[in-house]
Amino acid sequence: MCGIVGYIGTQTADEILLAGLEKLEYRGYDSAGIATVADGQLHCIRAKGKLHNLRSKMEAAKTGAYLGIGHTRWATHGKPEEHNAHPHLDTHGRIAVVQNGIIENYRELREELQQKGHEFRSDTDTEVIPHLIAEYLSDSLQEAVRQTVDRLQGAFAIAVVCADFPDELIVARQQAPLSIGFGQGEFFCASDTPAIVPHTRAVLSLDNGEMAKLTPLGVEVYNFEGDRLKKYPRTLNWNPILVEKQGFKHFMLKEIYEQPGVVRASLETYANVNWQPDDTDTMPIHLGIPDAVLNDLEHIHILACGTSWHASLVGKYLIEQLAGIPTMVQYASEFRYAPSPLTANTLTIGVTQSGETADTLAALSAERQRRSHLADNLKPRLLGITNRPESSLGQLVPNIIDTCAGIEIGVAATKTFVAQLMAFYFLALDLAYRRQTLLTSKIQEILTDLRQLPAQIELILESQERYIEELAHEFGETKDFIFVGRGLNFPVALEGALKLKEISYIHAEGYPAGELKHGPIALLDSKVPVVSIALPGNTYEKVISNAQEAKARDSRLIGVVSLNDEEAAHTFDNLLPVPEVNEWLSPIVAVIPLQLLAYHIAARRGLDVDQPRNLAKSVTVE
Ligand code: G6P
């Protein structure tokens, strides 16, 4: 979504703000702007389009200011035009505001302010904020911002500077993330930590209903009632190198290549290497979640969006088939308005790579709220699965499985999907062990096979990338793709189609292979390739039959098949072979060639793989 940065200190703000925005551009990128305060004046520069447009404009207009705020936008209210780009100013151009979120009551506020003579210049909801601050401003900027946030409804994070307060940067948070970085005589704010970690790892995340005053001397945190709070920064333990491309052409490709390491890290964190099937003293999996959360479960509800929703569908399959617990997966954006009936002893899991998706957070909050006053067996049991435990999700739910994937910059999720799948393997095996739904020897077998995965993913990357890059050339004109899979690999077909749509803008759909004949087959002809996941297992024969049905309609057939499948060449026009794995683990090896296919088709078309049009890495509005 949008990105906010702010700086106050002893260095020139322009370059720090631009560099910060570059780190946040993956979250939203249709326009950008910066406002700085120098020589008693506010200087504001904005540009439509990618950040390099703003950078070029700024070359000619450096101010040498030590204080400023910046923003990269993903349009919600008002088209992506320069006049709608942030920062927004008050009528006299003395106050500048950047905002992330949505001000729901902006229409009433705008009318009220227009009647008082305020001149509006954009179509955005944000512009009411500088005008309201101007309305309340007398001798304290902080107090004017406090009175302003009191009037705002919705989810927002804001940063404010004013030409009349050259030593103050005010920030406030309500349901949208905002962190403060503590340097030596300089302070930073940002909606996401990648903009801060190149300067300092001492970071304080504001909670909802909190605001802060940053000055060259320090940071004071207050609640919206104006009471001073005692809060201290913590040290982030991640490496700024994670947010560099390290020689790869795109973050997406780098993140695809990080997957063996991510799988290794999650195995090291959660799988107990010393456990043996006859060992009753220790558990095979250590998730660090209290027994009261995981024991005696009767139902599991999973809430997620996008790629995380696909991972959750695999999770449902694993939990139901391995641990025997009825599991429901719902789009978080639907759950809040049509919640599932209340069931007893239910674990609700929110899955979100960013930990900031507004739909998922809102659904989890609604679930917590509706259950909190009920009897013990109906009380909320909440768990989050994320690679960003420091996110808003981490503050909302008491239990987190950190997927060990680190930050992901490419908008199209790759390593975080695989990492979420790993979390579901561990959860399903842990529950199966507790409930004795699997023989301990079977649990050990799956754990042994999981340990083979990093090397198997490396093999796919080494052996397949060049071939897939070549193959991608052949789809320069293709307008539609169909992906099919069955059982555990139906969600992988959905994910393969989503990856292609997101970054290549080719229309693509995923179906359960058996459903092809019930409608989608009408779309097939020689111009519509079908990608089929046909890996060994109990649906293999059926998937091959479904592929033959597509072949009979002249579709070009691409098969994700096992390296040992000697028959596959008779069915498929192109083969994407992967090592033969335990059927339960097939989604992890199946998705790798699909990620590479989407990547190379988009890269071949010369598209902006890491920042595809209209998308944002995390969507912090509902
Ligand atoms: C956005 C992204 C998708 C992502 C979805 C859910 O729409 O573009 O790639 O899958 O949000 O994100 P989350 O952070 O909740 O996993």
Side-chain angles (χ1 to χ4, degrees):
M1 203 93 267
C2 310
I4 291 177
V5 292
Y7 176 75
I8 186 161
T10 49
Q11 302 185 59
T12 25
D14 294 4
E15 196 42 52
I16 290 179
L17 294 173
L18 270 175
L21 289 180
E22 264 159 21
K23 292 278 182 274
L24 298 186
E25 205 180 12
Y26 77 110
R27 303 194 60 144
Y29 34 76
D30 60 39
S31 52
I34 278 179
T36 52
V37 175
D39 308 323
Q41 297 299 319
L42 191 73
H43 305 269
C44 182
I45 303 182
R46 303 180 297 176
K48 182 181 166 178
K50 290 296 192 63
L51 209 49
H52 56 80
N53 297 342
L54 178 68
R55 187 175 272 285
S56 326
K57 271 184 132 175
M58 286 183 63
E59 297 291 313
K62 295 236 161 84
T63 61
Y66 302 119
L67 164 66
I69 53 178
H71 191 263
T72 170
R73 179 170 188 248
W74 184 85
T76 57
H77 289 67
K79 287 192 162 192
E81 300 290 349
E82 186 175 322
H83 71 277
N84 286 330
H86 300 213
H88 290 286
L89 311 184
D90 69 313
T91 309
H92 303 295
R94 306 289 292 168
I95 301 164
V97 173
V98 291
Q99 194 252 146
N100 191 2
I102 289 189
I103 308 304
E104 288 166 1
N105 58 336
Y106 81 99
R107 279 204 187 81
E108 300 101 89
L109 293 171
R110 189 174 166 123
E111 266 171 37
E112 173 190 320
L113 289 158
Q114 277 169 332
Q115 278 165 16
K116 290 184 173 158
H118 291 260
E119 280 170 34
F120 281 75
R121 303 178 191 102
S122 79
D123 313 315
T124 67
D125 51 336
T126 303
E127 200 185 349
V128 297
I129 304 173
H131 291 281
L132 265 179
I133 296 172
E135 201 54 34
Y136 292 123
L137 189 58
S138 54
D139 54 357
S140 161
L141 180 61
Q142 180 196 337
E143 178 56 19
V145 175
R146 195 193 70 73
Q147 290 181 25
T148 298
V149 292
D150 245 10
R151 302 278 320 271
L152 304 179
Q153 287 166 15
F156 56 83
I158 60 172
V160 183
V161 291
C162 174
D164 304 315
F165 295 82
D167 289 325
E168 286 184 25
L169 166 57
I170 309 286
V171 296
R173 172 199 161 125
Q174 184 65 279
Q175 312 283 358
L178 198 74
S179 299
I180 299 168
F182 289 64
Q184 298 287 338
E186 57 181 358
F187 301 91
F188 308 81
C189 73
S191 50
D192 198 4
T193 41
I196 296 177
V197 284
H199 307 284
T200 171
R201 292 196 213 163
V203 174
L204 167 69
S205 298
L206 287 185
D207 284 323
N208 291 331
E210 289 181 355
M211 54 190 293
K213 178 159 91 173
L214 285 64
T215 71
L217 299 178
V219 175
E220 295 167 13
V221 181
Y222 297 85
N223 60 22
F224 283 3
E225 286 71 49
D227 308 316
R228 177 101 185 251
L229 306 174
K230 269 198 182 155
K231 297 200 82 170
Y232 302 100
R234 70 206 154 85
T235 307
L236 288 186
N237 62 0
W238 52 276
N239 189 334
I241 202 84
L242 277 172
V243 290
E244 304 295 339
K245 281 194 201 136
Q246 293 175 274
F248 284 91
K249 192 165 176 216
H250 294 103
F251 278 109
M252 182 179 175
L253 192 59
K254 174 190 165 221
E255 287 156 359
I256 289 174
Y257 272 85
E258 281 172 358
Q259 295 178 113
V262 167
V263 172
R264 264 187 207 108
S266 67
L267 280 160
E268 277 163 19
T269 310
Y270 298 117
N272 179 358
V273 271
N274 299 319
W275 180 80
Q276 293 296 324
D278 51 2
D279 182 354
T280 47
D281 295 336
T282 59
M283 305 267 285
I285 307 290
H286 290 308
L287 289 172
I289 300 169
D291 291 342
V293 178
L294 296 182
N295 283 347
D296 311 316
L297 287 177
E298 290 173 37
H299 292 271
I300 294 184
H301 290 170
I302 311 179
L303 305 169
C305 306
T307 290
S308 298
W309 187 77
H310 295 157
S312 304
L313 291 179
V314 177
K316 165 188 161 76
Y317 199 98
L318 295 173
I319 294 167
E320 288 188 338
Q321 302 303 318
L322 298 179
I325 305 173
T327 301
M328 211 177 66
V329 182
Q330 222 171 331
Y331 284 118
S333 54
E334 294 290 315
F335 176 85
R336 196 168 169 204
Y337 304 98
S340 48
L342 277 170
T343 48
N345 297 317
T346 300
L347 175 67
T348 306
I349 310 178
V351 184
T352 157
Q353 62 78 24
S354 62
E356 299 295 350
T357 299
D359 289 321
T360 308
L361 297 180
L364 287 167
S365 303
E367 181 67 347
R368 184 177 63 180
Q369 205 174 349
R370 77 168 172 157
R371 285 179 176 270
S372 33
H373 301 295
L374 302 177
D376 276 356
N377 65 346
L378 290 165
K379 281 257 180 304
R381 299 192 197 188
L382 299 181
L383 167 67
I385 296 182
T386 185
N387 40 302
R388 305 291 301 274
E390 76 285 4
S391 63
S392 302
L393 177 78
Q395 294 173 27
L396 178 66
V397 300
N399 308 290
I400 287 281
I401 301 179
D402 176 354
T403 66
C404 310
I407 189 166
E408 186 174 67
I409 304 287
V411 163
T414 51
K415 65 171 179 171
T416 55
F417 175 74
V418 161
Q420 288 168 354
L421 295 188
M422 289 301 291
F424 277 118
Y425 286 110
F426 296 131
L427 182 62
L429 290 176
D430 183 300
L431 293 170
Y433 181 76
R434 286 168 194 268
R435 302 162 74 85
Q436 301 184 358
T437 50
L438 275 187
L439 291 174
T440 51
S441 58
K442 184 78 193 162
I443 293 179
Q444 193 189 37
E445 182 192 314
I446 298 178
L447 279 173
T448 305
D449 291 341
L450 280 167
R451 291 196 179 96
Q452 310 304 316
L453 278 174
Q456 288 164 329
I457 300 171
E458 271 156 8
L459 181 68
I460 302 171
L461 294 171
E462 277 162 25
S463 62
Q464 289 295 299
E465 201 205 334
R466 187 67 60 77
Y467 174 69
I468 292 175
E469 190 176 0
E470 291 288 309
L471 183 64
H473 288 199
E474 299 179 32
F475 301 110
E477 301 301 317
T478 306
K479 296 204 162 40
D480 304 278
F481 256 90
I482 301 287
F483 289 74
V484 293
R486 281 180 100 128
L488 264 173
N489 283 308
F490 160 51
V492 180
L494 293 175
E495 178 60 10
L498 181 65
K499 284 298 85 103
L500 190 65
K501 275 189 272 222
E502 284 179 317
I503 60 172
S504 73
Y505 318 141
I506 294 175
H507 169 243
E509 299 296 337
Y511 292 103
E515 279 296 300
L516 202 58
K517 59 186 177 292
H518 295 298
I521 201 165
L523 297 169
L524 300 187
D525 61 25
S526 61
K527 295 199 185 100
V528 184
V530 174
V531 182
S532 174
I533 303 165
L535 294 175
N538 65 5
T539 61
Y540 175 76
E541 304 294 342
K542 294 280 187 298
V543 174
I544 293 292
S545 308
N546 302 141
Q548 295 288 6
E549 289 154 18
K551 193 171 186 172
R553 273 80 190 175
D554 294 329
S555 281
R556 176 168 180 170
L557 283 190
I558 300 161
V560 177
V561 298
S562 161
L563 264 173
N564 306 334
D565 186 345
E566 284 162 12
E567 296 299 306
H570 299 303
T571 307
F572 296 100
D573 301 303
N574 299 97
L575 299 178
L576 304 178
V578 296
E580 180 150 357
V581 295
N582 182 324
E583 190 181 356
W584 293 108
L585 312 191
S586 58
I588 292 201
V589 289
V591 79
I592 310 291
L594 302 187
Q595 296 169 343
L596 288 171
L597 185 67
Y599 170 77
H600 281 296
I601 291 177
R604 169 81 193 150
R605 291 182 172 211
L607 298 169
D608 191 344
V609 171
D610 285 333
Q611 296 177 357
R613 70 183 183 205
N614 303 340
L615 298 181
K617 184 69 188 160
S618 80
V619 180
T620 49
V621 293
E622 282 182 61

Coordinates of all heavy atoms in Angstrom, one line a residue, residues 1 25 33 54 64 101 116 154 188 195 198 253-254 272 281 292 320 330-331 357 386 427 455 484 499 535 559 578 613:
M1 N 0.8 -1.2 0.0 CA 0.0 0.0 0.0 C 0.9 1.2 0.0 O 2.0 1.1 -0.4 CB -0.8 -0.1 1.3 CG -2.1 0.7 1.3 SD -3.5 -0.3 0.8 CE -3.6 0.0 -0.9
E25 N 8.9 1.6 -2.1 CA 8.2 1.7 -3.3 C 7.4 0.4 -3.6 O 6.4 0.4 -4.3 CB 9.1 2.1 -4.5 CG 8.4 2.8 -5.6 CD 9.3 3.2 -6.7 OE1 10.4 2.7 -6.8 OE2 8.8 3.9 -7.6
G33 N 5.9 12.0 -3.4 CA 6.1 13.4 -3.1 C 6.9 13.5 -1.8 O 7.0 12.6 -0.9
L54 N 10.0 11.6 -9.5 CA 10.2 12.6 -8.3 C 11.7 12.9 -8.2 O 12.0 14.1 -8.0 CB 9.7 11.9 -7.0 CG 9.8 12.8 -5.8 CD1 8.9 14.0 -5.8 CD2 9.5 12.0 -4.5
G64 N 18.3 21.5 1.1 CA 19.2 21.4 2.2 C 18.5 21.3 3.6 O 19.2 21.6 4.6
G101 N -3.8 4.9 4.6 CA -5.0 4.4 5.1 C -6.2 5.1 4.4 O -6.1 5.5 3.3
K116 N -15.8 26.9 6.0 CA -15.0 27.8 6.8 C -14.0 28.5 5.9 O -13.1 29.2 6.4 CB -14.3 27.1 7.9 CG -15.3 26.6 9.0 CD -14.5 26.0 10.1 CE -15.5 25.6 11.2 NZ -15.0 24.6 12.1
G154 N -11.7 5.9 10.7 CA -11.0 5.1 9.7 C -9.7 4.5 10.2 O -9.4 4.6 11.4
F188 N 13.9 8.8 12.6 CA 13.2 8.5 11.4 C 11.8 8.0 11.7 O 11.6 7.4 12.8 CB 14.0 7.3 10.7 CG 15.5 7.6 10.6 CD1 16.4 7.4 11.6 CD2 16.0 8.1 9.4 CE1 17.7 7.6 11.5 CE2 17.4 8.3 9.2 CZ 18.2 8.1 10.3
A195 N 12.7 1.0 5.4 CA 13.2 2.4 5.2 C 14.0 2.9 6.4 O 14.8 3.8 6.3 CB 12.0 3.3 5.0
P198 N 18.5 0.7 7.2 CA 19.8 1.1 6.7 C 20.5 2.2 7.6 O 21.7 2.3 7.6 CB 19.5 1.7 5.3 CG 18.2 1.1 4.9 CD 17.5 0.9 6.1
L253 N 13.2 -12.8 -8.5 CA 14.1 -13.9 -8.9 C 15.0 -14.2 -7.6 O 15.2 -15.4 -7.3 CB 14.9 -13.6 -10.1 CG 15.7 -14.7 -10.7 CD1 14.7 -15.9 -11.1 CD2 16.5 -14.3 -11.9
K254 N 15.4 -13.2 -7.0 CA 16.3 -13.4 -5.8 C 15.5 -14.2 -4.8 O 16.0 -15.1 -4.2 CB 16.7 -12.0 -5.2 CG 17.4 -12.1 -3.9 CD 17.6 -10.7 -3.3 CE 18.0 -10.9 -1.9 NZ 17.4 -9.9 -1.0
N272 N 12.3 -31.0 15.5 CA 13.2 -31.5 16.6 C 14.1 -32.6 16.0 O 13.6 -33.7 15.8 CB 12.3 -32.0 17.7 CG 13.1 -32.6 18.9 OD1 14.3 -32.6 18.8 ND2 12.4 -33.0 19.9
D281 N 9.2 -38.6 25.4 CA 9.6 -37.4 26.3 C 9.6 -36.1 25.6 O 9.4 -35.1 26.2 CB 11.0 -37.6 26.9 CG 11.0 -38.8 27.8 OD1 9.9 -39.1 28.3 OD2 12.1 -39.4 28.0
A292 N -2.7 -25.2 25.7 CA -4.1 -24.8 25.8 C -4.7 -24.3 24.4 O -5.9 -24.3 24.2 CB -4.2 -23.7 26.8
E320 N -6.7 -31.5 7.7 CA -7.8 -32.4 7.7 C -7.3 -33.9 7.5 O -7.7 -34.8 8.2 CB -8.8 -32.0 6.6 CG -9.6 -30.8 7.0 CD -10.8 -30.5 6.1 OE1 -10.7 -30.9 4.9 OE2 -11.7 -29.7 6.6
Q330 N -11.5 -19.2 4.8 CA -12.3 -18.2 4.2 C -11.5 -17.0 3.8 O -10.5 -16.7 4.4 CB -13.3 -17.7 5.3 CG -14.7 -17.5 4.8 CD -15.8 -17.3 5.9 OE1 -15.6 -17.8 7.0 NE2 -16.8 -16.6 5.6
Y331 N -12.0 -16.3 2.7 CA -11.3 -15.0 2.4 C -11.6 -14.1 3.6 O -12.7 -13.9 4.0 CB -12.0 -14.4 1.2 CG -11.6 -15.0 -0.1 CD1 -12.6 -15.6 -0.9 CD2 -10.3 -15.0 -0.6 CE1 -12.2 -16.2 -2.2 CE2 -9.9 -15.5 -1.8 CZ -10.9 -16.1 -2.6 OH -10.6 -16.7 -3.8
T357 N -2.2 -6.8 6.3 CA -3.4 -6.8 5.4 C -4.6 -6.4 6.2 O -5.0 -7.2 7.1 CB -3.5 -8.2 4.6 OG1 -2.4 -8.4 3.9 CG2 -4.8 -8.2 3.7
T386 N 3.0 -15.7 9.8 CA 3.6 -14.6 9.1 C 5.1 -14.6 9.1 O 5.7 -15.3 9.9 CB 3.1 -13.2 9.8 OG1 3.6 -12.2 9.0 CG2 3.7 -13.1 11.2
L427 N 2.5 -27.5 11.6 CA 1.2 -27.4 12.5 C 0.5 -28.7 12.3 O 0.0 -29.3 13.3 CB 0.4 -26.2 12.0 CG -0.9 -26.0 12.8 CD1 -0.6 -25.7 14.3 CD2 -1.7 -24.8 12.2
A455 N 17.5 -29.3 -0.9 CA 18.4 -29.8 -2.0 C 17.5 -30.0 -3.2 O 18.0 -29.7 -4.4 CB 19.1 -31.1 -1.6
V484 N -4.1 -26.4 -14.1 CA -4.9 -27.4 -13.4 C -4.1 -28.3 -12.4 O -2.9 -28.5 -12.7 CB -5.7 -28.3 -14.4 CG1 -6.8 -27.5 -15.1 CG2 -4.8 -29.1 -15.3
K499 N 0.2 -16.0 -10.0 CA 1.6 -15.4 -10.3 C 1.6 -14.9 -11.7 O 2.1 -13.8 -11.9 CB 2.7 -16.5 -10.2 CG 3.1 -17.0 -8.8 CD 3.7 -15.9 -7.9 CE 2.7 -15.1 -7.2 NZ 2.2 -15.1 -6.0
L535 N 1.8 -35.0 -10.7 CA 2.9 -35.6 -10.0 C 2.3 -36.9 -9.4 O 1.1 -37.1 -9.2 CB 3.3 -34.7 -8.8 CG 4.0 -33.4 -9.4 CD1 4.3 -32.5 -8.2 CD2 5.3 -33.8 -10.1
G559 N 3.5 -29.9 -18.7 CA 3.3 -30.7 -17.5 C 4.4 -30.5 -16.4 O 5.6 -30.6 -16.7
V578 N 10.4 -32.3 -11.9 CA 10.8 -32.0 -10.5 C 11.1 -33.3 -9.9 O 10.6 -34.3 -10.3 CB 9.7 -31.2 -9.7 CG1 9.4 -29.9 -10.3 CG2 8.4 -32.1 -9.6
R613 N 1.6 -3.3 -12.2 CA 0.7 -2.2 -12.2 C -0.5 -2.6 -11.2 O -0.9 -3.7 -11.1 CB 0.1 -1.9 -13.6 CG -0.7 -3.0 -14.1 CD -1.2 -2.8 -15.5 NE -2.1 -3.8 -16.0 CZ -2.3 -4.2 -17.2 NH1 -1.7 -3.5 -18.2 NH2 -3.1 -5.1 -17.5

